[in-house]
Amino acid sequence: MSIREIERACALHGEIEVPGDKSISHRSIMLGALAEGDTRASHFLMSADCLSTISCFRQLGIDIEEDRGADTVVVHGKGLHGLQAPSETLDTGNSGTTTRILSGTLAGQTFQSQINGDSSIQTRPMKRIINPLTEMGAQVTSLRGNDCTPLAISGGHLHGIDYLSPVASAQVKSCILLAGLYAEGRTSVTEPSLSRNHTELMLRGFGAEVSSRAAARSRTAGMTPWRAEVCPEPHLRGQDIIIPGDISSAAYFIAAGLIVPGSEILVKNVGINPTRAGILEVARGMGGQIEVIREYDRGGEKAADLLVKSASLHGTTIEGALIPTLIDEIPVIAVMAACADGTTVIRDAAELKVKESDRIAAMTENLKAMGADITPEEDGMIIRGTGSLHGARVRSFMDHRVAMSMAVAALAAEGTTAIEDADCVLISYPSFYEDLEKLI
Ligand code: S3P
């Protein structure tokens, strides 16, 4: 087991550029493979999850060049109908994004394929994609009959549907939209509120006809249902993509800069797509100081440099349509809340229970061990800030975001914190601990 010990930090100072956005990196391979011509993606995230996507598409007959030193990939696309039947089960590792979005593409193929991942993936819910793909005419079977992977998928001959998704999930939405590329007629997905829209933006950039707008139906308590629609059989053309830094990775430095007194950090080149940037709103709402220094556009994706200064934070309420815009940042927001004055309520976030770990249970156990006052709820947490934490032995639960959140908590805690299975940061941020050390 890898254990990482982290001491309390005095103050954090310096500049940091985080690796490329994970969601956009995955999609650059997926759409690059289905496009005609080459797609070059720079500032690509060379982490375990994105390498799982690369290896799956290689199994499907796509030639992908990787330059790991330069963080660049070139995907030699074969067009919408150029994938080949894999000879073995497609291994998606720990990646829910690969598993769910790739399943949508496989549903559009006439060949049969099987898809499976690691022990965590094998417990994550797949009914959310099995149902719509089946409705579109694909055969999707959970081989153990538990609505999880391994899945056997065969399809082709799909028809477009108007799908009302019970969850605001970009993985579900993207899965259906990619299947929709192969369907007869248009396909739409309406979600309870807008989840990250990288697939819609990138599909459009590659030449597909995609619309995305607030849906007319049932506007309820802070939620605006959102509808994305795609036309089938687009002529996708390879693109040059410069991937912005991942705000989900930047979140650890934002949180650390805010809670460690005397800190000032410039986080450069961070994607601030509004469907991802909820943490900035929450941090400001808690009294945090974050200055957007320079804002620019990268192929429809907004990016900026962020200057973060330490501040005394206070509690807040996080709920409704804000949740999908910061779903992966909630573990580190819980750390900020534990260091703040007053009570923070996080609700409408039951999705946390079905991520790489049950993040409500994981963060509750870990932050309690460090002296926080935290109550788990069915759809979130209530955290009463005690203003101080103490070092403890905590667990990553093999969840990269839990490990990195606990590293941030450690910086603000009295004494030493030991994180068990700390190496799981390889999933999304292989150089995380080294980058953190540069600021201490
Ligand atoms: C992702 C979507 C989110 C997020 C995940 C990446 C994506 O999952 O938690 O880390 O790239 O589409 P859901 O869409 O299921 O919420």
Side-chain angles (χ1 to χ4, degrees), residues 21-24 26-27 49 96-98 100-101 124 128 167-174 191 195-196 198-199 248 276 324 327-328 351 354-356 359 400-401:
D21 187 276
K22 181 154 82 71
S23 295
I24 300 176
H26 281 300
R27 286 157 172 83
D49 263 12
T97 305
T98 314
R100 296 202 177 105
I101 306 186
R124 296 184 66 185
R128 55 183 62 195
V167 279
S169 160
Q171 293 179 354
V172 171
K173 172 174 61 178
S174 306
E191 50 184 346
S195 64
R196 64 191 69 191
H198 306 300
T199 301
S248 297
R276 293 288 299 283
I327 187 72
D328 290 343
E351 280 293 296
V354 290
K355 294 293 180 186
E356 285 82 329
R359 289 179 176 163
H400 54 130
R401 304 220 180 273

Side-chain angles (χ1 to χ4, degrees), residues 141-290:
T141 311
S142 164
L143 293 174
R144 294 189 190 131
N146 59 356
D147 291 326
C148 296
T149 69
L151 301 177
I153 303 177
S154 61
H157 321 296
L158 304 182
H159 50 83
I161 58 170
D162 291 310
Y163 190 66
L164 206 53
S165 174
V167 279
S169 160
Q171 293 179 354
V172 171
K173 172 174 61 178
S174 306
C175 164
I176 299 166
L177 293 178
L178 290 203
L181 301 179
Y182 296 91
E184 209 178 292
R186 290 161 181 258
T187 296
S188 78
V189 185
T190 303
E191 50 184 346
S193 71
L194 180 60
S195 64
R196 64 191 69 191
N197 63 355
H198 306 300
T199 301
E200 297 90 305
L201 294 176
M202 202 185 282
L203 270 173
R204 221 174 270 148
F206 274 70
E209 210 180 302
V210 182
S211 69
S212 171
R213 59 186 158 78
R217 275 181 279 179
S218 72
R219 284 166 196 254
T220 45
M223 306 282 273
T224 304
W226 209 270
R227 182 172 192 268
E229 185 177 271
V230 70
C231 292
E233 294 293 333
H235 185 69
L236 301 177
R237 288 173 302 275
Q239 300 292 312
D240 274 359
I241 301 169
I242 304 172
I243 299 173
D246 196 327
I247 192 165
S248 297
S249 299
Y252 304 106
F253 301 108
I254 293 171
L258 291 172
I259 66 175
V260 176
S263 298
E264 183 168 325
I265 306 174
L266 182 66
V267 196
K268 295 177 79 176
N269 183 29
V270 183
I272 54 163
N273 176 324
T275 65
R276 293 288 299 283
I279 186 167
L280 301 182
E281 190 176 328
V282 165
R284 290 190 185 115
M286 294 177 83
Q289 296 186 55
I290 302 174

Side-chain angles (χ1 to χ4, degrees), residues 368-411:
K368 267 192 178 163
M370 295 182 76
D373 181 350
I374 171 167
T375 309
E377 300 279 313
E378 265 312 293
D379 66 345
M381 295 168 242
I382 299 171
I383 304 154
R384 285 161 288 267
T386 50
S388 69
L389 296 173
H390 57 75
R393 190 171 171 112
V394 296
R395 298 198 280 159
S396 75
F397 295 83
M398 298 305 286
D399 181 335
H400 54 130
R401 304 220 180 273
V402 173
M404 291 187 274
S405 300
M406 297 322 296
V408 171
L411 296 174

Side-chain angles (χ1 to χ4, degrees), residues 80-97:
L80 213 49
H81 298 282
L83 300 182
Q84 291 163 14
S87 52
E88 286 175 9
T89 298
L90 296 160
D91 180 3
T92 60
N94 189 248
S95 175
T97 305

